Amino acid sequence: MLGALRRIAEREEAAGNLKIDSPRPLFDKAFQHQLKKHGRLYDMGLAMEYYPKKEGGSFFKGMMAMMKDYKDFGMRMFKRGKMGPKAMFPVKVKDRAVMKKIFEELGEEGKEK
Amino acid sequence: MSVDKLAYYPGCPSEGTAMEQHMSTEAVFEKLGVELVEVEDWNCCGAAEVDDPKLVYALNARNLAIAEKEDLDIVTPCSICYYNLERSNKALKADEALRTQLKGIDSSLDYNGKIKAKHVLDVFVNDIGLDEISSKLEKKVNVKVAPYYGCYIGRPPETAFDDPDNPVLMDKLIELIGGEIVPFNYMKTVCCGGPLMMTRGDIAFDMARKILDVAKNAGADCISLACPLCGMMLDGKQADIEKALDVTIGMPVIYITQLLGLALGIEPNKLGFNKNAVDTKEILGKVV
C-alpha cells in the first residue's frame, strides 16, 4: 500500500505536480539496489549509496552527513567487535544470479519495462 | 518436547549489529538439545524496506525452499525476518499460481509449502515448552525486566503468535528464569523508531527515548527484546539518543535469548554479553 502510494507520488513528481520532501524513497531504493547486488544487507554500501543521494547527489556532503549520524555509533560497534575491517566489505550470497533475476523480474525496473 | 532439529535463518544483522542475538540463539538451542542447521547461502528477507509483497515472497521462497529440501521447519530470532518468512509461507501455500510464477523465475524458488516458519519465542514457549526449559535451568536471573516486543510479534494477525495488545510469551520466560516484570504493558508493542533511523533520526530518537524512559521510571534493571532492529535502536543508538536529547538513560538492553542463556548456565561471553552497547555488568551480577 505504502509502496504503491510512493510510486504514484514519484510519477506525480516526475510530471511536476508535487515535490517529495521525504528521503524515504531514496533509502528504500538504495536498500533494494544493495540486495540485488549482494543478496544480503551491506550496511556500509547502503550508507555510501543513500547519503549522497539524500544530500542532492553530493558525495562529499553525503559522507559528512553519514559521519555526523554514524561516527560515534560506528566506533561503538567497532569497540565491541561488531564492525571490524570485514564490515567494510559485503557478505555476498553465492547465488547472486538469482537475486538479479528476482529484482529484474519483480522489482521496480521490471515493472517499468 | 516436540522439536529436535530446525533450519536456522539468522538474518543480516546476525553478522554485525546483532551478533549477540545470533550467538545467544545458537548457544541456547544447543543447551536445550535442539540442533540448528543454518540455511545454506541464505539471502535477505527484504526487511521493512522491500515494499512490494511479490518481491518479498520471491526473496523468502528461496530461503523456505532451501529449508524444505532438508525437510526442516525454519526458525529465526529476528521479528522482521519472521514476519517476512511467515507471510510469504502463507501466501505461497495458498496460491499455486504464485508458486508457479516464482518457479518460472528460477528453479531455486520452487517451494511447495511443506514447512512452518517460526520465531524463536514461539518455539521456546509453544514447541519446547516451559516445563522442558524449567528442567534445564541452572541459575536464577534475579532482574527486573521491561519486556519489549516491538511491532511484529503480536501483529499483523496473519502472522502473529501472541496477543496484539498485551503479548506475554517473553513475560512467561522471564518469570520462569526468576525475573520480575515491571509495569510496562502500554509500551510493549509501541514502535522503537528503528525503521526511521536513517531517514528521520529526530523522530526515531524521540520514539526510542519514550520506551527507554518508561522502562527506567518503572524501575527496570534492563529491557528485554527479540528484534535486532529494536536492539540497534534502543541499545546501539542509546548513547546517541542521550547526546542528542541531552539526557542520561543508561538502560541495558538485552536479547531474551541472552537472558535465557544465563539461566541455562551458559558462559556470558558465549551469549555475547561483551557485545551489548550499554554496559551489562550489573545484570550479570544479579545471576545467582
Side-chain angles (χ1 to χ4, degrees), chain B residues 154-176:
Chain B
R155 57 182 189 264
E158 62 182 298
T159 57
F161 56 90
D162 207 339
D163 188 283
D165 300 315
N166 184 25
V168 294
L169 296 190
M170 195 151 38
D171 298 39
K172 287 181 180 178
L173 280 173
I174 291 162
E175 286 170 345
L176 184 77

Side-chain angles (χ1 to χ4, degrees), chain A residues 59-90:
Chain A
F59 182 77
F60 178 73
K61 281 187 186 170
M63 290 305 97
M64 294 301 284
M66 183 178 86
M67 290 295 281
K68 181 173 171 284
D69 287 355
Y70 279 93
K71 177 170 58 68
D72 294 345
F73 174 81
M75 192 51 71
R76 213 172 294 132
M77 295 297 106
F78 175 75
K79 283 181 182 167
R80 284 158 184 79
K82 291 177 166 182
M83 204 172 271
K86 269 174 71 181
M88 300 298 119
F89 303 97

Side-chain angles (χ1 to χ4, degrees), chain B residues 79 119 121-122 124-125 130 145-150 153 161-162 166-177 179 181 184 188 223-227 254-257 259:
Chain B
S79 302
H119 187 280
L121 261 183
D122 191 14
F124 290 148
V125 179
L130 297 178
V145 184
Y148 176 67
Y149 290 75
I153 287 174
F161 56 90
D162 207 339
N166 184 25
V168 294
L169 296 190
M170 195 151 38
D171 298 39
K172 287 181 180 178
L173 280 173
I174 291 162
E175 286 170 345
L176 184 77
I177 64 175
I181 306 292
F184 194 65
K188 277 180 168 180
I223 288 175
S224 70
L225 42 66
C227 172
I254 301 172
Y255 290 102
I256 186 64
T257 41
L259 287 178

Side-chain angles (χ1 to χ4, degrees), chain A residues 1-4 6-7 22-25 27-29 31-32 35 39-43 46-47 50-51 54 69-73 76-77 79-83 91-99 101-103 105-108 111, chain B residues 12-13 15-20 38-52 54-55 58-59 62 101-102 105-109 195-200 232 235-240 243 274-279:
Chain A
M1 173 79 161
L2 289 173
R6 169 171 68 75
R7 279 187 279 278
S22 170
R24 188 75 206 179
F27 181 74
D28 287 354
K29 283 182 175 177
F31 189 99
Q32 293 186 35
L35 282 201
R40 289 188 193 174
L41 174 59
Y42 169 39
D43 289 318
L46 174 60
Y50 163 68
Y51 272 99
K54 185 189 175 197
D69 287 355
Y70 279 93
K71 177 170 58 68
D72 294 345
F73 174 81
R76 213 172 294 132
M77 295 297 106
K79 283 181 182 167
R80 284 158 184 79
K82 291 177 166 182
M83 204 172 271
V91 177
K92 296 179 181 180
V93 167
K94 286 178 204 148
D95 188 0
R96 287 193 296 288
V98 70
M99 292 296 118
K101 278 189 202 172
I102 289 172
F103 279 93
E105 195 69 34
L106 300 172
E108 288 183 40
K111 289 192 175 67
Chain B
C12 300
E15 296 165 336
T17 53
M19 216 175 254
E20 67 271 41
E38 187 165 324
V39 174
E40 193 184 346
D41 198 35
W42 54 269
N43 58 265
C44 175
C45 70
E49 281 71 28
V50 176
D51 50 32
D52 186 297
K54 206 174 264 187
L55 192 47
L59 289 168
R62 180 171 175 273
Q101 184 192 2
L102 297 189
I105 294 171
D106 191 271
S107 60
S108 67
L109 309 184
L196 295 172
M197 198 163 60
M198 268 199 190
T199 52
R200 287 299 305 266
M232 180 155 66
D235 183 46
K237 297 288 279 181
Q238 193 178 131
D240 299 312
K243 189 175 167 186
N274 53 349
K275 306 283 182 195
N276 296 70
V278 179
D279 195 89

Side-chain angles (χ1 to χ4, degrees), chain B residues 217-235:
Chain B
N217 293 335
D221 296 316
C222 68
I223 288 175
S224 70
L225 42 66
C227 172
L229 185 60
C230 305
M232 180 155 66
M233 196 67 220
L234 298 176
D235 183 46

